[in-house]
Amino acid sequence: MKITSAKFIKGVVGEDQIFSDGIPQVAFLGRSNVGKSSLINGLTNSKISRESNFPGSTQEINVFLINKSTYFVDLPGYGFTRVSGLGKQKIGDLITKYIFNPNFNQKKIVLIIDAKVGMTEQDIAVFEELEKHKKDFIIVLSKIDKVNQSNFHHNLIEIKKITGEYPLFPCSSKTKKGLGPILQCILAKS
Ligand code: GDP
């Protein structure tokens, strides 16, 4: 499974018709600074998603067209404030209105967790909301190059206590390890 074209379509600040135009959507969700932009760039082998060192700097939903057939929907990073889950903060509101709008049907949601940090309270709350709404999602563990083997296994056990049998995809955007299986999963014909 390869990405042969990736194009920025638009930044969206609210509900938008683009989400009901029939093109399948893969949404990327995670705490700010979790490595979401790097993951999108790594998967697309491009620099379409800005990598930023300023957490919370992206406040729009960015939509990319991949292989002329799938949207990658880059949601703003949550967790910039101490509100639990997606809460009532502006960014949380934007994400919630997109993810839980019954008219916007994501083919897949990619929830990104930092492999070194593990699941924060907010990550857990978001995971539970996705499960409650029966969303089709996978969990990507980012930045595995930053964590040694024994810490990684410890974190993995802790994460699995929360996520149970949910599919986990460890990866590093830096070394590109683990990106192939993610692409395979999110671009697979459903
Ligand atoms: P975002 O806020 O979730 O979009 O996160 P970014 O993609 O901007 O990444 C946040 C920081 O983590 C940046 O300094 C990245 O260079 C770094 N980063 C992202 N992915 C990786 C990774 O796989 N390995 C390492 N070592 N650093 C990463």
Side-chain angles (χ1 to χ4, degrees):
M1 197 75 60
K2 272 192 84 169
I3 289 186
T4 49
S5 70
K7 188 172 168 236
F8 174 71
I9 302 295
K10 62 154 117 176
V12 175
V13 285
E15 297 184 17
D16 196 283
Q17 278 189 337
I18 193 167
F19 298 130
S20 0
D21 70 1
I23 295 182
Q25 296 154 44
V26 176
F28 293 81
L29 181 61
R31 212 168 39 77
S32 85
N33 221 31
V34 75
K36 183 163 50 61
S37 307
S38 307
L39 177 67
I40 292 173
N41 287 341
L43 292 173
T44 54
N45 215 0
S46 74
K47 290 271 174 212
I48 50 171
S49 182
R50 270 174 303 168
E51 282 174 56
S52 148
N53 286 315
F54 304 104
S57 59
T58 319
Q59 307 224 339
E60 288 187 343
I61 298 176
N62 289 314
V63 184
F64 306 97
L65 182 63
I66 306 300
N67 288 355
K68 299 190 175 140
S69 59
T70 304
Y71 286 139
F72 276 11
V73 180
D74 182 9
L75 294 162
Y78 59 80
F80 199 52
T81 61
R82 285 174 172 272
V83 188
S84 135
L86 294 172
K88 293 218 184 303
Q89 53 174 314
K90 199 168 149 210
I91 286 178
D93 210 35
L94 190 61
I95 299 171
T96 307
K97 278 191 177 145
Y98 167 71
I99 295 275
F100 302 121
N101 184 327
N103 299 321
F104 304 159
N105 190 19
Q106 300 86 21
K107 174 187 171 197
K108 209 53 118 187
I109 295 170
V110 179
L111 174 61
I112 309 161
I113 306 292
D114 190 318
K116 191 170 178 185
V117 176
M119 286 182 94
T120 66
E121 262 179 53
Q122 279 184 314
D123 291 330
I124 295 170
V126 171
F127 168 80
E128 286 172 349
E129 277 184 67
L130 292 176
E131 263 211 316
K132 195 173 86 189
H133 286 84
K134 298 195 170 20
K135 288 289 178 180
D136 188 348
F137 67 101
I138 62 166
I139 298 171
V140 162
L141 305 177
S142 66
K143 309 189 193 179
I144 53 166
D145 62 285
K146 281 182 81 175
V147 54
N148 69 33
Q149 197 80 349
S150 74
N151 285 343
F152 177 69
H153 279 289
H154 169 80
N155 286 354
L156 201 57
I157 289 165
E158 292 303 309
I159 291 168
K160 281 186 174 171
K161 280 182 192 164
I162 297 152
T163 61
E165 292 307 307
Y166 243 86
L168 300 176
F169 292 81
C171 74
S172 163
S173 305
K174 194 172 173 187
T175 66
K176 310 253 178 207
K177 196 172 173 189
L179 296 185
I182 299 171
L183 264 189
Q184 200 111 26
C185 175
I186 61 181
L187 293 182
K189 296 238 170 352
S190 44

